[in-house]
């Protein structure tokens, strides 16, 4: 039986929000430093508009994303995190 836990806000740093040019995501807890993470960004119609693997940190350029509210989902082997992001 596999359990999925939520990351705490103290585990991941996501900034700025709202986003003008670039979204920065950093895993700030050392216990996850070697883990691989999947990031998915969904538009308001639940379509995946961005999907990438990363370790420790990633910078997402918003060049192809139209202004609006998006849903951010970050997952690792057994943890996940989701939030809303506003791209201006």
């Amino acid at each position: 039986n596999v359990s999925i836990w939520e990351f705490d806000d103290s585990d991941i740093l996501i900034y700025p929000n709202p986003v003008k040019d670039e979204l920065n995501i950093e895993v700030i807890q050392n216990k996850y430093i070697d883990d691989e993470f999947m990031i998915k960004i969904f538009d308001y119609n639940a379509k995946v508009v961005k999907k990438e693997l990363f370790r420790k940190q990633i910078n997402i350029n918003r060049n192809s994303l139209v202004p609006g509210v998006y849903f951010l989902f970050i997952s690792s082997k057994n943890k996940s995190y989701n939030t809303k992001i506003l791209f201006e």
Side-chain angles (χ1 to χ4, degrees):
N1 194 4
V2 176
S3 296
I4 302 292
W5 291 280
E6 290 276 319
F7 284 107
D8 295 325
D9 287 336
S10 63
D11 294 334
I12 298 178
L13 184 61
I14 300 170
Y15 63 95
N17 192 12
V19 180
K20 291 185 189 222
D21 297 314
E22 190 172 74
L23 175 65
N24 304 292
I25 301 168
E26 295 180 45
V27 178
I28 55 177
Q29 285 292 338
N30 285 336
K31 60 185 169 185
Y32 306 118
I33 203 133
D34 292 325
D35 290 358
E36 187 171 64
F37 299 89
M38 169 65 73
I39 180 173
K40 292 181 185 176
I41 300 176
F42 297 86
D43 67 12
Y44 216 74
N45 296 315
K47 177 184 172 193
V48 176
V49 294
K50 192 77 152 173
K51 179 179 170 180
E52 287 190 43
L53 290 172
F54 74 101
R55 291 184 190 275
K56 181 72 177 128
Q57 77 177 56
I58 188 169
N59 303 317
I60 306 288
N61 193 310
R62 68 149 301 221
N63 57 2
S64 63
L65 301 176
V66 297
V69 174
Y70 291 81
F71 301 94
L72 174 69
F73 181 76
I74 301 170
S75 61
S76 68
K77 230 184 286 187
N78 59 0
K79 284 204 167 225
S80 67
Y81 183 85
N82 57 31
T83 191
K84 288 182 186 176
I85 301 291
L86 175 63
F87 285 94
E88 294 184 330

